[in-house]
Amino acid sequence: MRRPELDNILTTMLESQPEVSDLLFTVDKPLQVEAYGELKPVAIDPPIEKLTPFQTEMIALNLIGENQWHIEDLLRRGSCDAAYTLTDKARFRVNIFSQRGNYSIVCRRLNTEIPTIEQLKLPEIIRLVPREKTGLVLVTGATGSGKSTTLAAVLNEINHTKPVHIITLEDPVEFVHPHHVATFNQRELGTDFDTFSNGLRAALRQAPKVILVGEMRDRETVKIALSAAETGHLVLSTLHTIDAGQTINRILGMFEPDEQEQIRARLADTLRWVISQRLVPRVSGGRYALFEIMGSNLRTQETIRLGESEGKSFYEIIEASQPFGWRTFDYSVLEAYEAGIISEETALLYCTKRGPVTRGIDNIKKARGESTTSIGNLRMKTPEGPRTAAPQIPATLKLK
């Protein structure tokens, strides 16, 4: 297989469905794309009913190209990450991995257009993030929840408003930022540096004001990121955690118990924002982003230093600061449900605490004049049958 043939296959797959997010190549399965969270087969000419091990290997080698780093990674570790550009049409983040002696490939489609905060309709409080001078900002969520897109919008805002040097360390480079007011240097793992910790260590000597670290993967990267935030840099990064509280616990869990007190103090001083995301299905089709946003105040700093306790959990702290723009996932869920964006079933599936959300949904239904229960036509049952009228009080028992 040659590159023009591969490009033709990728183009056909992209055009097979609207809103394609991923392309999948797996042995004994046809070509598949993921659209709106569901896998769908793709028909091409000549037809491929089931991919063979040879076909997936040829596709993998064409996607990797001549990059020896990625080939070594694949052979030694069983998987590798790469980037691939389909001329003038799309860019992909590619993961090739070994399974049962064969290769499988997942190509995540990347947006070529840099998004803005307005286009993404992010919560208004996120506009405060690009204004930060120093500290640590974490965007968290599951794979495919839109973390990179949110960070790209934040960096785009900085790019248009601040004359600063920005260095990104990514695996691979997803959004290619043009130079506007700011100056960008974007480095790719495996091509420009070998590990995030080494890349971040080198970045401190490259005079940046803003550093993007693609992912906090290990304790060494976290320690250097904290040092960078303490020495006057704004550090942006991601973690695969489901909410703000778990984000703090995940970072602390990377360190030994005797180190945690110092890390707690450093994290309390440097952490500025934790933005957690979940993508949920819309009623009208497509997906919608829910947010949990926690900033930094005296209560969050104290809780990071001393740990959560009754009445001092991160959830309760965020809840108390909702008038200032902070929000829990439950607040976002109810807001989306009230606006008719998501269904009741989706709201209950993606919330954090089902009890408060159930009560909130009932209140919204009452305000709309809808029934909050399926139980109706209640009657009092007696041995003689249901009564339709209240019993008469004997005259001897009536009050005079």
Side-chain angles (χ1 to χ4, degrees), residues 268-280:
D269 290 337
T270 57
L271 187 66
R272 298 291 181 265
W273 297 95
V274 178
I275 302 166
S276 299
Q277 300 183 197
R278 294 175 188 171
L279 281 184
V280 302

Side-chain angles (χ1 to χ4, degrees), residues 12 61 97 124 140 142-143 163 179 184 209 288 291 326 392:
T12 303
L61 290 175
F97 57 98
E124 195 64 25
T140 79
T143 301
H179 304 293
F184 265 91
K209 289 293 185 288
Y288 179 76
F291 291 89
W326 300 15
Q392 296 295 318

